[in-house]
């Protein structure tokens, strides 16, 4: 199945001519479904296939008629930022019967649709796979009933299925994230952040119920993202006596002058006897045991609503494109597959293997084998749970190990949302590891000036949701002050240093034009010479053109882009969006591009420009940034602890090998530590960017979805991978 190729595989070699693709959304709606539908439609049309909307899910497939409608390029304009699913979703009892599936097969054959892209949960995808398995038998039955002839049966003999998981619960095994999960986390964190202000004013305890009848992902990650005092999820039932432990922790936090308590409960939370734990039970418990003013908030369907996050739009767009590629490459021997996310890569996995593993999770929980259930959930869930456990409960100082090591934390470079979450995590994990933790204010400048002090568990309370850098950060480089920094390291006996920093929202703007006629926005983004923000932001916002340093352009390209946009605007598209990275070209400035588009677009569209500037660094961090900062800092401190033990000899730390100074970051599918020395050959120091950037592979997607003819390297695609099951760890 796997294809190993030495040469680049380009998608121009794949043709959809003569093929018809049906796209439907089924089951519960999820933010980002529209982005997936848009990507399927545009990619399908781009490769020469016909694409059909199947309205109202499987019900529309069974009923046929106007429910199955051919899609055009323009029919998916302006749907990227819309929540829910504009083609409708319905739960269909009829499709569960043989007669219903026979009707659905008839409707598809009438239109020559033999490729289905199904966006939904495990139930929807299981139904699609059954439909595929029965396909040849259904066609034979239709021929016998005289509803289709032998030629139609022959021409439509194979049905290919590709699934994308749309579920806010992130309850499908085989993928790190499902479409809609990140947006649901945004809704939860927006509510939590709002509640925190009123809870602090009145010293209240809030009990929040979030969705997750069978999966605790939303509860777990939102607890990490807001620094909740307690979380209850189906995969980790509390042991007997949990009520006393929870109340004890709430009481200790109040004693530490924390004015609010947050308890997050998944709707499917249970105790170790499989008995449901309700929000009202928790409220009564807190009130009776502690006398705290306690309120309950049940978020309900708010979590499904609102506009999809940038993450969900990008995820869904990538999955939609990959789904079409999978359909183009499918054969009669290819099993139905599901497009998944692993690290930062889109992968294809056998659909039914993933469904089986998802069902095995519930089976394990029913059997009270919760460790196995967590392992089956996958590495993302397990990493989140392990990080939560690390940060969840602060033991008394007398119970902590004593490592005799001092570890300092500082922020460098420009402030970035999520820095404070990382510092909080590093400090608390370091304390639990037995280290004495020190905070350095104002980066390397504060370091050489001696702005260093010990930082405790309680000092970082409430930092997770704060924007900017509470420690302070400056762009001062350490080279000129190494002697003074070394002196401060000696004075404070610092054995390890954790450096958090850099190389030292276009959607709302687009929406604002909805009431106007044909308007193009020219937006300048930050990023120095790195075009990531502009390129990926363009994919998320449905940009028409993106100008970045990594892809040189000249006046001919600019003229071609203007003409391309002008032609699009003549077809009924009302809005255009052009993004320019701040250092993409020193001569073709944002003002120049604005004036060029204004002049050339006269009579067709008018222009507006906006330089986003430092607002991109401001505001509260997203749930992703809070969660990522928390996990990556915890992992970094654990690595530091191991290296300190390995390097400790005769009362001193000898850190003179390459692997004692590393950069931690995401590389393809995993978090990896790479010696800083090795980064020399991979870095363009003049422009402060890597020589090779993984996200550049996404840049052509933005062009394809904006109707540009371009080349797209699909060498990483086309490999149907086996589902990896994490085996139980053997006892030492």
């Amino acid at each position: 199945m796997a294809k190993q190729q030495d040469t680049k595989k380009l998608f121009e070699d794949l043709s959809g001519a003569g093929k018809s693709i049906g796209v439907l959304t089924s089951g519960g709606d999820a933010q980002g479904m529209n982005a997936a539908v848009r990507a399927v439609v545009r990619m399908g049309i781009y490769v020469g296939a016909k694409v059909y909307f199947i309205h109202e899910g499987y019900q529309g497939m069974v009923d046929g008629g106007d429910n199955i409608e051919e899609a055009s390029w323009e029919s998916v304009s302006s749907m990227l930022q819309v929540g829910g699913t504009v083609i409708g979703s319905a739960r269909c009892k009829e499709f569960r019967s043989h007669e219903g599936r026979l009707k659905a097969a008839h409707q598809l054959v009438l239109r020559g649709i033999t490729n289905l892209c199904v966006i939904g949960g495990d139930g929807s995808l299981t139904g699609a796979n059954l439909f595929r398995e029965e396909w040849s038998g259904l066609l034979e039955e239709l021929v016998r009933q005289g509803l289709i002839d032998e030629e139609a049966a022959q021409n439509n003999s194979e049905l290919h299925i590709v699934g994308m998981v749309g579920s806010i619960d992130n309850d499908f095994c085989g993928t790190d994230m499902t479409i809609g999960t990140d947006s649901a986390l945004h809704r939860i964190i927006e509510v939590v952040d709002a509640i925190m202000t009123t809870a602090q004013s009145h010293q209240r305890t809030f009990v929040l119920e979030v969705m997750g009848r069978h999966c605790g992902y939303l509860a777990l990650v939102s607890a990490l993202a807001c620094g909740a005092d307690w979380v209850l999820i189906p995969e980790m039932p509390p042991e007997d006596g949990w009520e006393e432990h929870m109340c004890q922790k709430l009481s200790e936090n109040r004693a530490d002058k924390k004015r609010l308590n947050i308890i997050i409960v998944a709707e499917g939370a249970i105790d170790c006897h499989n008995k449901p734990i309700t929000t009202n039970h928790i409220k009564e418990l807190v009130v009776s045991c502690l006398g705290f003013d306690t309120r309950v908030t049940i978020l309900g369907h708010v979590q499904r609503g609102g506009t999809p996050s940038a993450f969900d739009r990008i995820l869904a767009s990538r999955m939609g494109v990959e789904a079409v590629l999978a359909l183009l490459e499918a054969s009669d021997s290819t099993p139905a597959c599901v497009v998944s996310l692993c690290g930062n890569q889109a992968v294809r996995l056998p659909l039914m293997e993933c469904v089986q593993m998802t069902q095995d999770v519930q089976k394990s929980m029913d059997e009270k084998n919760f460790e196995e259930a967590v392992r089956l959930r996958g590495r993302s869930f397990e990493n989140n749970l392990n990080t939560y456990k690390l940060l969840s409960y602060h033991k008394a100082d007398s119970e902590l190990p004593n490592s005799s090591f001092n570890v300092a934390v500082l922020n460098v470079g420009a402030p970035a949302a999520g820095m404070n979450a990382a510092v909080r995590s590093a400090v608390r994990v370091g304390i639990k590891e037995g280290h004495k933790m020190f905070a350095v204010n104002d980066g390397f400048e504060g370091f050489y000036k001696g702005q260093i002090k010990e930082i405790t568990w309680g000092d970082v309370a409430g930092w997770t949701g704060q924007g900017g850098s509470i420690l302070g950060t400056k762009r001062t480089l350490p080279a000129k002050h190494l002697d003074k920094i070394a002196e401060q390291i000696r004075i404070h006996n610092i054995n390890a240093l954790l450096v958090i920093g850099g190389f030292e929202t276009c959607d709302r703007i687009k929406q604002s034009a909805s009431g106007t006629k044909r308007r193009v926005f020219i937006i300048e983004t930050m990023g120095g010479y790195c075009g990531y923000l502009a390129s990926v932001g363009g994919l998320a916002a449905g940009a028409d053109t993106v100008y970045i340093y990594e892809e040189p352009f000249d006046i001919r390209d600019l003229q071609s882009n203007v003409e391309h946009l002008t032609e699009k605007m003549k077809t009924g598209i009302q809005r255009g969006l052009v993004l320019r990275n701040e250092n993409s070209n020193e001569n073709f400035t944002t003002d120049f591009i604005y004036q060029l588009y204004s002049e050339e677009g006269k009579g067709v569209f008018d222009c507006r420009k906006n330089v986003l500037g430092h607002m991109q660094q401001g505001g509260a961090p997203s749930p992703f940034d809070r969660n990522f900062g928390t996990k990556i800092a915890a992992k970094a401190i654990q690595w530091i602890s191991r290296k300190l033990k390995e390097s400790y000899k005769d009362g001193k730390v000898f850190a003179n090998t390459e692997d004692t100074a590393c950069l931690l970051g995401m590389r393809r599918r995993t978090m990896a530590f790479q010696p800083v020395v090795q980064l020399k050959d991979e870095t363009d120091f003049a422009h402060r960017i890597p020589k090779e950037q993984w996200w550049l592979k996404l840049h052509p997607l933005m062009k394809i979805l904006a109707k540009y003819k371009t080349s797209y390297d699909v060498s990483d695609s086309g490999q149907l991978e086996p589902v990896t099951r994490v085996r139980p760890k053997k006892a030492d």
Side-chain angles (χ1 to χ4, degrees):
M1 254 177 239
K3 302 174 185 175
Q4 297 296 328
Q5 296 187 345
D6 297 326
T7 57
K8 268 189 179 182
K9 185 174 69 171
L10 301 176
F11 92 111
E12 297 94 296
D13 302 330
L14 302 171
S15 172
K19 296 187 177 183
S20 294
I21 300 170
V23 58
L24 69 145
T25 53
S26 177
D29 65 311
Q31 307 97 319
M33 280 183 164
N34 289 324
V37 171
R38 171 182 177 269
V40 170
V41 169
R42 291 196 166 177
M43 189 64 171
I45 293 171
Y46 193 91
V47 297
K50 282 187 176 181
V51 185
Y52 290 85
F53 294 131
I54 300 177
H55 294 278
E56 310 306 333
Y58 288 119
Q59 190 66 56
M61 196 191 297
V62 171
D63 295 342
D66 293 339
N67 288 306
I68 304 177
E69 171 197 9
E70 187 172 352
S72 67
W73 189 278
E74 291 74 26
S75 62
V76 292
S77 294
S78 301
M79 67 190 290
L80 187 65
Q81 67 271 19
V82 179
T85 165
V86 298
I87 61 173
S89 178
R91 302 187 190 277
C92 179
K93 287 184 179 179
E94 200 173 354
F95 190 76
R96 295 176 186 173
S97 68
H98 180 79
E99 292 74 16
R101 292 191 291 276
L102 187 67
K103 288 181 184 177
H106 185 215
Q107 296 299 335
L108 295 187
V109 171
L110 288 176
R111 296 162 179 82
I113 299 172
T114 55
N115 298 277
L116 275 185
C117 187
V118 181
I119 308 164
D122 63 326
S124 303
L125 300 182
T126 302
N129 189 70
L130 176 62
F131 190 42
R132 181 179 188 261
E133 289 175 346
E134 292 181 346
W135 184 253
S136 58
L138 293 171
L139 294 191
E140 289 172 7
E141 205 170 330
L142 290 170
V143 171
R144 284 198 303 272
Q145 293 181 10
L147 294 172
I148 64 171
D149 56 28
E150 289 283 357
E151 185 182 357
Q154 187 65 37
N155 292 340
N156 298 278
S157 60
E158 294 175 14
L159 178 67
H160 302 300
I161 302 281
V162 173
M164 288 182 273
V165 189
S167 167
I168 68 166
D169 294 338
N170 204 28
D171 54 357
F172 192 82
C173 294
T175 185
D176 288 351
M177 287 286 271
T178 56
I179 295 169
T181 302
D182 188 70
S183 299
L185 285 169
H186 272 73
R187 301 296 92 80
I188 295 168
I189 295 304
E190 285 164 8
V191 171
V192 171
D193 285 351
I195 279 173
M196 279 184 165
T197 55
T198 184
Q200 283 180 328
S201 301
H202 298 280
Q203 293 197 57
R204 283 184 176 143
T205 296
F206 270 86
V207 185
L208 271 77
E209 181 184 284
V210 302
M211 283 186 167
R213 193 174 298 120
H214 304 293
C215 178
Y217 185 90
L218 286 178
L220 178 59
V221 175
S222 56
L224 270 175
C226 72
D229 298 88
W230 204 264
V231 68
L232 292 156
I233 59 174
E235 296 87 348
M236 188 180 67
E239 296 176 358
D240 288 333
W242 66 271
E243 298 94 338
E244 185 183 337
H245 289 140
M246 183 185 74
C247 290
Q248 182 184 348
K249 184 178 180 186
L250 298 179
S251 179
E252 287 173 356
N253 286 345
R254 282 291 172 93
D256 285 341
K257 298 182 180 178
K258 187 176 180 183
R259 294 179 60 84
L260 77 156
N261 302 111
I262 300 284
I263 301 166
I264 296 183
V265 188
E267 61 179 327
I270 52 174
D271 64 17
C272 58
H273 305 291
N274 278 3
K275 182 182 174 184
I277 299 174
T278 66
T279 50
N280 284 329
H281 172 61
I282 294 169
K283 176 184 175 180
E284 290 166 6
L285 192 67
V286 174
V287 171
S288 62
C289 292
L290 301 173
F292 291 173
D293 184 3
T294 305
R295 306 296 167 93
V296 170
T297 299
I298 297 174
L299 270 64
H301 282 74
V302 165
Q303 295 157 87
R304 289 192 188 278
T307 59
S309 67
F311 184 96
D312 274 328
R313 298 183 204 188
I314 296 161
L315 175 67
S317 297
R318 292 180 68 185
M319 285 185 168
V321 168
E322 187 69 24
V324 173
L325 294 176
L327 288 171
L328 293 180
E329 295 179 339
S331 67
D332 58 349
S333 60
T334 310
C337 75
V338 62
V339 180
S340 300
L341 180 73
C342 184
N344 59 27
Q345 290 191 295
V347 297
R348 302 177 198 171
L349 300 173
L351 189 152
M352 288 315 294
E353 286 187 36
C354 295
V355 169
Q356 184 60 55
M357 189 156 43
T358 303
Q359 292 170 351
D360 287 348
V361 173
Q362 189 58 48
K363 184 181 175 185
S364 295
M365 289 200 289
D366 291 341
E367 295 170 352
K368 298 186 181 181
N369 189 352
F370 297 106
E371 285 189 13
E372 178 67 7
V374 168
R375 277 193 287 269
L376 288 169
R377 280 272 181 241
R379 60 170 196 171
S380 175
F381 189 93
E382 196 167 12
N383 288 341
N384 282 310
L385 185 56
N386 289 338
T387 305
Y388 176 79
K389 287 177 179 177
L390 268 177
L391 297 168
S392 62
Y393 190 65
H394 177 39
K395 296 179 181 178
D397 290 346
S398 58
E399 297 178 51
L400 291 169
N402 184 3
S403 71
S404 302
F405 295 126
N406 293 345
V407 179
V409 183
L410 76 157
N411 293 337
V412 300
M419 273 183 166
N420 297 320
V423 172
R424 170 186 174 271
S425 176
V427 168
R428 292 193 167 180
V429 174
I431 289 170
K432 288 192 86 165
E433 295 273 309
H435 309 319
K436 187 179 281 189
M437 300 300 295
F438 289 85
V440 181
N441 294 110
D442 295 337
F444 285 115
E445 183 174 316
F447 205 164
Y448 84 79
K449 290 180 178 177
Q451 296 174 9
I452 305 165
K453 64 177 181 180
E454 187 178 351
I455 189 165
T456 66
W457 185 280
D459 290 339
V460 291
W463 282 32
T464 311
Q466 300 292 316
S469 167
I470 294 173
L471 289 184
T473 177
K474 297 205 174 169
R475 292 182 180 271
T476 307
L477 297 174
K480 295 179 182 178
H481 310 286
L482 287 179
D483 290 344
K484 292 179 181 178
I485 290 172
E487 178 65 11
Q488 292 298 330
I489 289 174
R490 187 191 63 77
I491 291 170
H492 296 279
N493 192 27
I494 292 169
N495 306 111
L497 192 62
L498 177 61
V499 181
I500 301 167
F503 201 110
E504 62 295 65
T505 321
C506 305
D507 175 48
R508 289 200 179 109
I509 292 168
K510 192 175 178 184
Q511 280 182 292
S512 75
S514 59
T516 65
K517 291 292 184 183
R518 296 198 178 95
R519 178 162 290 172
V520 173
F521 284 88
I522 318 291
I523 311 296
E524 181 184 299
T525 68
M526 294 178 76
Y529 288 94
C530 178
Y532 177 85
L533 278 180
S535 190
V536 180
L539 185 58
D544 298 277
T545 311
V546 173
Y547 298 112
I548 58 174
Y549 170 77
E550 293 87 349
E551 187 179 68
F553 56 95
D554 58 25
I555 193 67
R556 290 180 294 276
D557 296 315
L558 289 169
Q559 185 63 37
S560 173
N561 296 152
V562 174
E563 291 169 0
H564 182 268
L565 188 53
T566 303
E567 288 305 309
K568 279 174 65 176
M569 298 294 261
K570 288 177 180 176
T571 65
I573 290 175
Q574 298 292 309
R575 298 178 298 285
L577 180 64
V578 176
L579 297 184
R580 176 188 175 274
N581 169 243
E582 59 183 346
N583 289 342
S584 56
N585 188 294
E586 62 180 337
N587 295 314
F588 300 133
T589 62
T590 302
D591 283 335
F592 179 90
I593 291 173
Y594 165 69
Q595 289 165 3
L596 176 67
Y597 275 75
S598 296
E599 181 64 29
E600 296 296 318
K602 274 183 180 176
V604 180
F605 58 80
D606 63 355
C607 287
R608 296 289 186 273
K609 70 170 178 176
N610 197 319
V611 178
L612 297 180
H614 284 78
M615 67 172 285
Q616 294 160 87
Q617 294 177 340
S622 69
F624 179 91
D625 281 330
R626 299 182 196 195
N627 181 246
F628 187 69
T630 298
K631 286 196 292 188
I632 199 170
K635 194 175 181 74
I637 289 293
Q638 289 178 314
W639 177 86
I640 283 174
S641 296
R642 287 196 304 273
K643 288 297 175 185
L644 284 170
K645 289 171 187 172
E646 291 171 10
S647 308
Y648 190 68
K649 188 177 180 182
D650 299 329
K652 290 185 179 180
V653 174
F654 293 89
N656 49 11
T657 57
E658 281 188 6
D659 65 346
T660 55
C662 285
L663 173 73
L664 172 59
M666 174 71 74
R667 292 183 77 90
R668 293 176 70 85
R669 302 189 185 187
T670 58
M671 297 299 297
F673 292 92
Q674 185 171 9
V676 174
V677 172
Q678 294 178 10
L679 294 172
K680 281 184 181 178
D681 297 332
E682 300 178 15
T683 305
D684 174 357
F685 285 96
H687 299 101
R688 298 162 66 92
I689 55 175
K691 290 178 181 176
E692 288 188 21
Q693 307 203 70
W694 70 270
W695 56 265
L696 279 172
K697 284 194 172 185
L698 302 183
H699 194 62
L701 293 190
M702 185 281 303
K703 291 186 170 184
I704 288 167
L705 298 177
K707 216 173 185 177
Y708 280 94
K709 289 292 179 186
T710 187
S711 183
Y712 179 41
D713 179 9
V714 292
S715 302
D716 292 338
S717 300
Q719 299 181 4
L720 189 65
E721 303 181 9
V723 177
T724 304
R725 283 185 180 241
V726 181
R727 297 296 176 193
K729 296 171 184 173
K730 293 180 181 178
D732 292 330

